[in-house]
Amino acid sequence: MSRQYIANLKSGNQVEGVFLVLKKEIRETKDKKPYLTLQLADKSGCIDAKKWDASTSLYNSFNSDRFVKVKGTVETFNNTLQIKLLEIDPVSESEVQMDEFVQSTEKNVQEMLAELKEIIRSVKDPYLSKLLISFFTDKSFVAAFCAAPAATQNHHAFLGGLLEHVLSVAKLAVNFSGFYPVVKKDLLIAGVILHDIGKIRELSYERSFQYTDEGLLTGHLISGVLMVNEKASKIEGFPRELLNVLLHLILSHHGEYEWGSPVKPGTPEAIALHYLDNLDAKMQGASKAISNHKDDSSAWTDYVRMFERRLYKK
């Protein structure tokens, strides 16, 4: 029996297969009868599921971020698909094909890494060059950087997403800097390449994409600053002012206080990074929303949270 991916499910379908449990909760009906509500996932998406007449022992038989085999029927509730579960059984990870659950970049990782290293070699400032090389000759860093997603759900939320996003923004920065002499190209490129490196500490991505303790306690901006400061401290004579403006790029790239930046962009390079970063994230988010919407009878996607609107897809 071929794999039933969530993105292809329709109301009335009979479902039998293995899914990743993102969330689970036991609740009570109005009659005080317990039922189980789950959020199930595979690499194509996620769907809510309910098991009526559930027991506490069933709830305790498996954990979130683990796999279960289910049987059930797809139903429509409040214009949203969900699965009415008949059976739930825990499944060992050793029995699971992980590529069915964790989405990866469709691009060649080694080719993207080589392209990014070529951009790094174009940096002429001796201190920024040494700093970037110190990261990209660190095998453990490179392995994590190439594997990590750029986010848990909004944009580039797949393995290799961080590399794909950073390369895309770096290529934009190379072209953009030629239009504005006020922008220091080497500084902008270094800021682009390093702005999200804290994601490798902020996120865990073995199965589902979750936040680590460090991610929840400090976030990737602070983690990134600490990582850069540590590497820079080992480069003799690294100018303090140069380090300050580079750290400012990392700390301000979200652009607004309410978006998580402790400071707002205060240099031409920081302003450029913020908008280029946001542009790439938004365009990938739009592309994903359009490609994932399979209803050919409508010229519009469903509501997209990132944009707070539907998108015209013709």
Side-chain angles (χ1 to χ4, degrees):
M1 183 176 179
S2 61
R3 170 81 200 181
Q4 291 177 290
Y5 283 106
I6 288 170
N8 299 326
L9 294 178
K10 300 182 185 302
S11 186
N13 285 167
Q14 301 299 307
V15 177
E16 181 176 354
V18 176
F19 296 92
L20 177 64
V21 180
L22 295 184
K23 298 177 184 177
K24 68 168 190 169
E25 187 177 353
I26 194 161
R27 300 178 182 175
E28 288 186 342
T29 65
K30 293 179 181 179
D31 299 328
K32 302 295 183 182
K33 293 181 179 179
Y35 71 95
L36 191 59
T37 178
L38 306 176
Q39 187 177 55
L40 302 176
D42 58 29
K43 70 177 183 180
S44 74
C46 57
I47 189 170
D48 289 336
K50 288 182 172 60
K51 175 71 171 70
W52 303 104
D53 299 321
S55 63
T56 303
S57 61
L58 176 61
Y59 175 82
N60 292 331
S61 67
F62 60 91
N63 295 318
S64 298
D65 204 29
R66 292 296 184 269
F67 298 96
V68 291
K69 183 175 182 180
V70 305
K71 289 184 180 180
T73 304
V74 181
E75 300 179 331
T76 301
F77 179 73
N78 286 340
N79 296 317
T80 302
L81 294 180
Q82 66 177 29
I83 302 176
K84 180 182 178 182
L85 297 171
L86 301 175
E87 297 179 17
I88 309 174
D89 295 297
V91 173
S92 169
E93 188 170 320
S94 62
E95 303 175 48
V96 169
Q97 292 181 252
M98 289 300 296
D99 62 355
E100 295 182 349
F101 299 92
V102 183
Q103 188 177 4
S104 300
T105 178
E106 296 178 356
K107 300 180 180 180
N108 185 294
V109 169
Q110 292 307 312
E111 289 178 2
M112 288 194 291
L113 179 60
E115 196 171 355
L116 187 63
K117 286 183 175 180
E118 187 66 28
I119 294 173
I120 290 172
R121 283 192 287 271
S122 75
V123 173
K124 295 179 175 61
D125 181 281
Y127 296 103
L128 295 176
S129 176
K130 288 178 182 177
L131 180 65
L132 292 171
I133 290 171
S134 72
F135 276 106
F136 284 87
T137 53
D138 181 334
K139 291 183 179 180
S140 62
F141 169 82
V142 171
F145 184 85
C146 290
T152 59
Q153 55 182 343
N154 285 331
H155 74 93
H156 298 88
F158 45 80
L159 297 182
L162 178 59
L163 172 60
E164 184 174 319
H165 169 58
V166 168
L167 175 60
S168 179
V169 181
K171 290 161 73 173
L172 289 171
V174 168
N175 290 307
F176 173 89
S177 59
F179 290 96
Y180 300 95
V182 70
V183 172
K184 296 179 178 66
K185 182 179 178 181
D186 285 353
L187 179 58
L188 176 58
I189 289 174
V192 166
I193 293 173
L194 299 173
H195 80 283
D196 266 349
I197 58 171
K199 292 284 181 74
I200 70 173
R201 294 183 178 179
E202 180 182 51
L203 303 176
S204 66
Y205 37 90
E206 290 182 0
R207 289 176 292 274
S208 61
F209 298 157
Q210 306 285 346
Y211 286 92
T212 63
D213 290 342
E214 180 174 343
L216 292 171
L217 289 169
T218 65
H220 71 279
L221 301 186
I222 301 302
S223 293
V225 162
L226 293 173
M227 293 166 71
V228 169
N229 199 59
E230 180 184 354
K231 292 284 191 185
S233 69
K234 297 176 182 177
I235 299 173
E236 185 177 354
F238 199 106
R240 186 70 234 182
E241 183 180 4
L242 179 60
L243 182 59
N244 284 341
V245 292
L246 179 59
L247 297 180
H248 174 75
L249 284 165
I250 296 172
L251 291 171
S252 67
H253 79 264
H254 285 181
E256 301 290 343
Y257 300 136
E258 58 267 34
W259 295 345
S261 279
V263 291
K264 292 185 178 182
T267 67
E269 296 80 18
I271 293 167
L273 171 56
H274 164 60
Y275 285 105
L276 294 175
D277 176 51
N278 196 35
L279 173 64
D280 185 62
K282 291 293 195 296
M283 292 308 300
Q284 200 276 333
S287 299
K288 176 183 175 184
I290 290 170
S291 64
N292 284 353
H293 192 256
K294 305 301 184 184
D295 185 359
D296 294 331
S297 66
S298 174
W300 294 84
T301 68
D302 295 328
Y303 178 86
V304 184
R305 185 185 300 176
M306 174 184 279
F307 300 99
E308 298 182 338
R309 71 199 77 135
R310 299 165 72 199
L311 298 179
Y312 188 68
K313 64 177 188 174
K314 277 195 173 181

